[in-house]
Every structure is written in structure tokens, then in C-alpha cells.
Amino acid sequence: MGNKIQLIDRVRLGFAVSVAKSVTFLVRSLRLGAASVLPGSIARRIEPRLLQLLSQQVKKGVILIAGTNGKTTTSLLLKTILENKGYRIAHNSTGANLENGLMTALLESTNLVGTLNVDYAILEVDENIVPKVLTPLQPQIILCLNLFRDQLDRYGEVDTISKRWTKVISTLPPETVVIPNADDPTLSHLGQQLPQKVLFFGLNEPEHYLEAIPHAVDSIYCPKCGHSLDYKGVYLSHLGDFTCPKCGFSKSQPNLESSEWPQILVGLYNKYNTLAAVTAAKELGVDEATIKDTINNFQAAFGRAEDLVINGKKVRILLSKNPVGTNETIRVVTQSADKTTLLVLNDRTPDGTDVSWIWDVDTEKLVERGGTLVVSGDRVYDMALRLRYSQKSPESTLNLIVQEDLRQAIATALEHTPENETLHILPTYSAMLEVREVLTGRKIL
């Protein structure tokens, strides 16, 4: 790491950086957004090798975090742990995880001539572009969180993605450290095939098994031979303790005893995020006291179990962008005593234009408990229909309110929330950005 750059590359890089920083200044000065993507896009046109030239200046190494769910929370936790040890970190904190967003994040930490002075770069990366960026980034550590069906209009099935990951990761240097989720059959198998150093994370707490396998299950077949897997139990979706009765493939052994570690935020999915970050931090030599202290004082990333107080009432935003994630946020809601929930469904490019995934969500559990459900978003009527179909009897105590205007929907949901309860908001990605802008008056992207 920290390789020297040739003079001609330095000159071109310096020009690209100066242009990018000028664009950032203009965009933010005119309040057109957070400039989390455009500067990288423009700088890349000037210097196509921008990602490589910047990442090779990182002193101690690049840490890449990929997966369908949990990237932003995991990367923020790991960043906070390392910062608490005094390290300087570059991080795509806005969640812009495509190539231009990665470049913009690194550009943020450079000086005017393109010198990057950071110890680590923690980059959350969209699962579909992992094969494109591994070679220029040459990461020291790769965290593979999970693979679920997400935005099928863009990505396809999880086995296709995992095969591409395996092919490219296996070409990286042997000193690369790969940290996959042992409870995900696809990623457990991926880790077992790699020549690099592999450390697994996962749960070993059977008391948290689900009562039954949920509808939104993606990978219950053996990634090695295709036979149906036998599950001793599942924690969420297809993540659990499994074996293949045909070929003997089974869950890899996690490197940490999960019960010995606290977790950040609410929801079992955040225990996975915690364990992933902890495994990476320990590999980097961080002491347990610093790690546990960081976990106990962790603040949520925007929209990810983020708590706000609006007009004296508590509001919790739980990003819900695919079947697995939404089932888990519904589990959080139904385990509380709070009876008002706002669901916001959009179908824009960041969300995925195919919203048929809502029929794989166990909305029946949310409807059965009654209370007030307010629905809004671009596809408000699709969500309202899904909830109506979830009602098992006409005598249901559910109060379903359909409100097209998001600002009015938020106001209505707050009105129905008692002073001593919390309003849970379950939005898709673009909807989450809109919800936060309404609630806080500030744009994120």
C-alpha cells in the first residue's frame, strides 16, 4: 500500500482532483445536493485510472464491504472502531456505492494535487460491481455480508453474483483476507473455495431461530451439488445452521462466539453487521475493549434504525428495500408495543423498478396485530393492496390509511402516534431519503 505514482500520472491526477473539488464546491454552494457522485464521474473522464491511482495511496489498506443488506451500517461501525484507535479513514458515508461514488469518497480525502493521506479506505460496494472494482482497489480485506434477491430488474439471481465474486476474488493476492457470512450457504461455499485467508462470521445462538422458514427465502439448495439443504434452524431468510445430506457440505465454523459479543441497534440482522465489523477489526489488531466500547456507544447511520424526535414524538426509520430486509424490520415492529407504522414504497432506480417483491414479504404479521398502518409513496396503491390481501378476516382491527402525499402521510402517522409510543417508518431507499428530508429539512444525496 501507499505506492508511489509516476510523474505523468501525478499531473493528470492532480488536474482531475482540482476539477472534482471545484464541482463539489459549486454543487454544495448552490445546495444542489451532497455531491456524492458527480465529482467522481467528471474526474474519471479526465483520468480513467482514478480509482487505482487513489486507492494505491492508502497507507494500510482498502477494506471492501459487499452484500445485499447491511453495508452502510457495517462500514460505519468498522470506521468508528478504527477512528477510535486514531486511524484516518476515507469512507463513502453517503452510501453512494457504485464506481463514481467510490471515487468521490476517495477524492474527498485528497489535497488539491491528488495526494491521499489516510490509513484505511472503507468502501461499501454494490454487489453487482464487485468484479469491476476488485482489481483497481486491490483490497486488503473483503467483507461478504449476505446475498439476497434484490432488484431483480437489474441483478438477477444470487448464484450468478456469487460465481462472479468467486472467480475474481480467487485471482487476488494470497495475503488478501476474505470474511464471508458462514450462515449464508452461498457465501459459506464461496469462502471454502478460496485460496486466500478466510475468516467466517455467523451466529451460534439457537434460541434466536425463527419458528418457520419465511416466504422470502432465496438459497435453500446446496451451492455445491444442488440438493435441498437440511436446516437445524434459520435466523433470517436462508441464513442459519445447515448441512447437505447428499454431498456433506455444511456451514463453516465462525471465528467468533457470537453470544460473547453485544450488538449495535435493534434487530437480529444488526448482530450480523456487528460480527462482520468485529471480525475485521480483530484481524486489524484492534483490542476488544475498544471494539466493545464502540459497539455500546454506536449511533445509527441515516435511515438504518435511526431514531429521531419530531414534535416531541419518537420516530424510528427502518430502511426496507427488499423481502428479507422488510421481514426483519417488520419483526422489529411487531416485537414492540407501538401500534402506528408508516410504509413508503417507491419504484425509482435506487429502489428497483420491479415492486413485485412486496408479495414475498410477510405483511400478514404486521396486519394481524392491528393498529394503524399509513401507506404512501410512488406505488402507494400496490402496498395498500398487499396489506388488504394480508387481512384474514373482515373483523380485523386494522386502521389502514392511504395517503399519496408523503408530507401529509408523515403528518397523519404522527397524529395517530400516542405520546408514549414510537412511530416506525419503513421506507424503500429513495423514500427514506425523502422521509428524512421532510423530517429534518436536510437532503442527504
Side-chain angles (χ1 to χ4, degrees), residues 1-3 5 51-63 88-90 106 109 115-123 137-138 140:
M1 297 301 158
N3 296 337
I5 299 176
L51 194 59
Q52 177 183 341
L53 293 175
L54 290 176
S55 62
Q56 71 184 33
Q57 295 184 63
V58 179
K59 293 180 180 179
K60 291 184 174 293
V62 173
I63 302 167
R88 289 165 296 184
I89 311 296
L106 294 175
S109 299
T115 300
L116 185 63
N117 185 22
V118 297
D119 298 303
Y120 292 101
I122 299 177
L123 301 174
L137 285 177
Q138 290 291 298
Q140 176 190 358

Side-chain angles (χ1 to χ4, degrees), residues 46-314:
I46 299 171
E47 173 49 85
R49 296 171 60 235
L50 182 69
L51 194 59
Q52 177 183 341
L53 293 175
L54 290 176
S55 62
Q56 71 184 33
Q57 295 184 63
V58 179
K59 293 180 180 179
K60 291 184 174 293
V62 173
I63 302 167
L64 185 149
I65 301 177
T68 310
N69 292 340
K71 295 185 292 291
T72 298
T73 301
T74 304
S75 61
L76 180 58
L77 174 57
L78 183 56
K79 172 178 179 282
T80 308
I81 291 172
L82 293 177
E83 285 181 335
N84 286 345
K85 290 299 293 183
Y87 294 115
R88 289 165 296 184
I89 311 296
H91 174 223
N92 50 336
S93 57
T94 64
N97 55 27
L98 299 178
E99 289 172 274
N100 292 335
L102 305 183
M103 295 174 195
T104 300
L106 294 175
L107 286 166
E108 279 278 323
S109 299
T110 64
N111 63 18
L112 291 175
V113 295
T115 300
L116 185 63
N117 185 22
V118 297
D119 298 303
Y120 292 101
I122 299 177
L123 301 174
E124 57 170 284
V125 178
D126 184 283
E127 59 267 34
N128 200 44
I129 70 160
V130 168
K132 294 182 181 179
V133 300
L134 281 180
T135 299
L137 285 177
Q138 290 291 298
Q140 176 190 358
I141 293 179
I142 304 172
L143 275 73
C144 304
L145 301 182
N146 48 61
L147 283 176
F148 301 120
R149 279 186 298 130
D150 184 46
Q151 303 184 39
L152 290 181
D153 52 311
R154 291 202 287 144
Y155 292 160
E157 295 293 344
V158 297
D159 58 341
T160 302
I161 296 173
S162 67
K163 288 175 182 176
R164 294 173 61 208
W165 282 17
T166 305
K167 182 178 179 180
V168 180
I169 293 174
S170 62
T171 66
L172 293 175
E175 59 268 22
T176 306
V177 179
V178 184
I179 305 177
N181 189 335
D183 294 357
D184 187 320
T186 303
L187 295 181
S188 198
H189 183 245
L190 177 151
Q192 292 175 15
Q193 296 180 87
L194 295 175
Q196 289 87 1
K197 180 179 181 179
V198 178
L199 304 173
F200 291 96
F201 70 94
L203 296 178
N204 34 34
E205 303 175 54
E207 64 271 21
H208 293 309
Y209 285 158
L210 290 172
E211 295 180 2
I213 295 179
H215 293 138
V217 172
D218 304 319
S219 180
I220 57 174
Y221 297 99
C222 177
K224 187 174 181 180
C225 73
H227 193 276
S228 295
L229 292 171
D230 284 344
Y231 275 88
K232 185 178 180 181
V234 294
Y235 295 108
L236 66 93
S237 186
H238 60 275
L239 307 188
D241 296 324
F242 52 83
T243 57
C244 177
K246 183 177 181 181
C247 72
F249 166 73
S250 62
K251 169 181 172 175
S252 304
Q253 180 63 39
N255 285 71
L256 300 177
E257 181 67 38
S258 65
S259 61
E260 296 177 356
W261 291 89
Q263 76 172 70
I264 54 169
L265 311 175
V266 297
L268 194 62
Y269 56 95
N270 275 316
K271 187 63 178 279
Y272 280 110
N273 297 336
T274 305
L275 293 169
V278 169
T279 304
K282 286 180 67 66
E283 173 63 17
L284 294 172
V286 181
D287 59 280
E288 290 192 8
T290 297
I291 296 173
K292 289 184 176 179
D293 182 65
T294 304
I295 292 171
N296 292 329
N297 293 284
F298 183 74
Q299 298 294 317
F302 59 88
R304 281 80 170 178
E306 180 183 18
D307 291 324
L308 304 170
V309 176
I310 306 296
N311 298 333
K313 294 185 178 181
K314 295 179 181 178

